[in-house]
Amino acid sequence: KWETFYNCGESEDEKSTDEYGTSFRYRRELTKSSFFQSLSSYEVDQIRDIGYDIQQAFSWGYKLIEEEKMMLNVGPSAIIQYIDQPGDFDGFGYFGGLFEEFRWLIHDDLVFYQSFDISLSLEDSE
């Protein structure tokens, strides 16, 4: 699955959002109820002065619900990130994470989709 985005916005006549990026997700079924997932992403945020944020995540997913009209997947992830943000952070970061995605086919023309990712740094903090 390939996705791209561009977000921009203004607040009080001043630019408050200016970011773009792309991602590619590869998913391979391992068993009837589990899968492997690789997610590669690249993002730029000109408001927060992020020159680029490159992430690679490897995940194992479990299909909690897989029905004709409803799907719920969850799983852990290992994430490596390289970010270019002068003054704040510049370099590699390593994270453990959890992901979730839910899809509900309410009607033939109406689908509800929700997902989230949570990550926690695996590096020592000072």
Side-chain angles (χ1 to χ4, degrees):
K1 179 180 177 180
W2 189 277
E3 294 181 336
T4 59
F5 72 90
Y6 177 69
N7 296 321
C8 67
E10 287 186 4
S11 178
E12 299 178 9
D13 294 329
E14 189 172 311
K15 192 179 274 191
S16 60
T17 305
D18 190 4
E19 59 187 358
Y20 60 90
T22 187
S23 66
F24 177 74
R25 180 179 75 183
Y26 171 78
R27 188 174 280 181
R28 175 79 177 176
E29 191 168 293
L30 300 173
T31 68
K32 187 175 180 175
S33 61
S34 69
F35 57 89
F36 166 80
Q37 176 174 289
S38 171
L39 178 63
S40 305
S41 66
Y42 172 85
E43 297 181 13
V44 173
D45 187 329
Q46 296 178 5
I47 300 298
R48 296 187 309 169
D49 196 27
I50 297 177
Y52 52 86
D53 178 354
I54 301 169
Q55 293 188 26
Q56 177 63 55
F58 298 103
S59 307
W60 173 79
Y62 185 73
K63 301 173 185 179
L64 290 177
I65 300 172
E66 186 174 27
E67 299 175 359
E68 183 178 334
K69 295 191 176 219
M70 192 174 293
M71 172 273 299
L72 174 62
N73 296 330
V74 297
S77 301
I79 305 159
I80 185 169
Q81 173 190 50
Y82 186 83
I83 191 166
D84 173 30
Q85 187 176 18
D88 287 332
F89 184 80
D90 188 14
F92 284 97
Y94 306 93
F95 303 87
L98 295 173
F99 77 92
E100 172 272 344
E101 59 184 358
F102 176 72
R103 181 181 43 84
W104 175 27
L105 179 61
I106 298 168
H107 186 271
D108 290 342
D109 298 325
L110 183 61
V111 177
F112 174 80
Y113 182 80
Q114 178 271 323
S115 69
F116 73 81
D117 296 279
I118 298 173
S119 59
L120 177 65
S121 177
L122 298 176
E123 300 176 86
D124 293 333
S125 61
E126 296 182 27

